[in-house]
Amino acid sequence: MLPRPQTAICNALIRRSIDLLLLYRRAAAGCEPGLRMVLGENVHTLQLLIADLQEQLRAGGVGPRDHGSWRGVVHRHVTGWLVRIVARRDGAWIRALSHHESALLHAFEQAIECMPVESALVLRRQMPRLRGIHLDMHSLAGSARY
């Protein structure tokens, strides 16, 4: 079983991941079909990441979080409102998602640094998934500038 502070860190990462997943879903609902497909793939990757983290906590005898944070709700609504007022909505969604994705990647990296090696192993296994999303969003953000 993970010690309480490490459980809290994992649950916080789960909540942030759920927040990002819901933001991706909202963005995909209003984007063109090609971008919607890419965002859908990232949603699927985040679902796998969240399920894996939740399962790890359950295996340790801890009840994992299954919903996002109130901040995520606010971010989704504010971002949706801001995107509606810009001319290039797809580009605005890409930049917003890229920003939140980078923040999630950074949160995982910080959590890995502050956790003991054995506990951080669970998070390290998720890094390839997060880096894959990061590369997708980075390349999309680069092309959305034009």
Side-chain angles (χ1 to χ4, degrees):
M1 183 167 168
L2 291 174
R4 183 137 172 80
Q6 293 164 13
T7 299
I9 290 170
C10 285
N11 272 323
L13 291 172
I14 289 171
R15 289 179 83 150
R16 286 186 79 159
S17 299
I18 291 171
D19 290 341
L20 182 59
L21 177 132
L22 294 173
L23 188 62
Y24 266 102
R25 284 185 179 160
R26 179 150 186 188
C31 290
E32 59 94 10
L35 180 58
R36 187 176 307 135
M37 187 176 78
V38 173
L39 298 182
E41 290 172 4
N42 288 348
V43 164
H44 180 69
T45 301
L46 284 169
Q47 287 172 330
L48 293 173
L49 179 143
I50 292 164
D52 195 28
L53 288 176
Q54 289 172 333
E55 187 55 38
Q56 291 295 325
L57 287 178
R58 279 188 203 99
V62 177
R65 298 289 181 209
D66 60 356
H67 54 83
S69 67
W70 62 270
R71 287 185 198 132
V73 173
V74 171
H75 282 139
R76 276 192 308 281
H77 288 294
V78 169
T79 303
W81 179 76
L82 291 172
V83 166
R84 278 194 300 266
I85 64 173
V86 299
R88 295 182 178 187
R89 291 187 177 148
D90 287 354
W93 274 120
I94 289 169
R95 285 188 295 280
L97 290 168
S98 180
H99 172 75
H100 288 285
E101 173 277 322
S102 290
L104 180 63
L105 180 62
H106 185 67
F108 266 80
E109 289 169 345
Q110 284 183 321
I112 288 170
E113 288 177 10
C114 73
M115 292 177 95
V117 176
E118 308 82 40
S119 301
L121 189 59
V122 172
L123 300 180
R124 283 186 199 284
R125 279 187 263 148
Q126 303 307 321
M127 293 305 289
R129 289 178 174 158
L130 286 171
R131 287 195 178 106
I133 292 173
H134 179 73
L135 290 173
D136 281 350
M137 295 313 298
H138 182 69
S139 66
L140 286 173
S143 64
R145 296 179 203 269
Y146 301 105

